[in-house]
Amino acid sequence: MLAALYRSEQLPYHLDKALENGLSVEELSETITHLAFYAGWPNAMTAITLLKKIADEQSA
């Protein structure tokens, strides 16, 4: 929902918590891709970029 409403400033916190609670990067990526068809690709690309940044930080 945050991605659909273009609330990208709040996405990192929630994506990080989703990963901490057991969701995989692949599951979140698939969800964001699905959302793209409804919310638009620009919103989805912003969310995917943030997800990649968070996943990279966690694996470092």
Side-chain angles (χ1 to χ4, degrees), residues 22-54:
L23 275 90
S24 69
V25 173
E26 292 79 21
E27 290 170 324
L28 290 171
S29 179
E30 289 173 8
T31 301
I32 293 168
T33 301
H34 183 80
L35 174 74
F37 292 98
Y38 302 97
W41 285 99
N43 289 349
M45 288 307 299
T46 298
I48 288 289
T49 302
L50 290 170
L51 176 60
K52 182 178 180 342
K53 180 181 174 189
I54 291 166

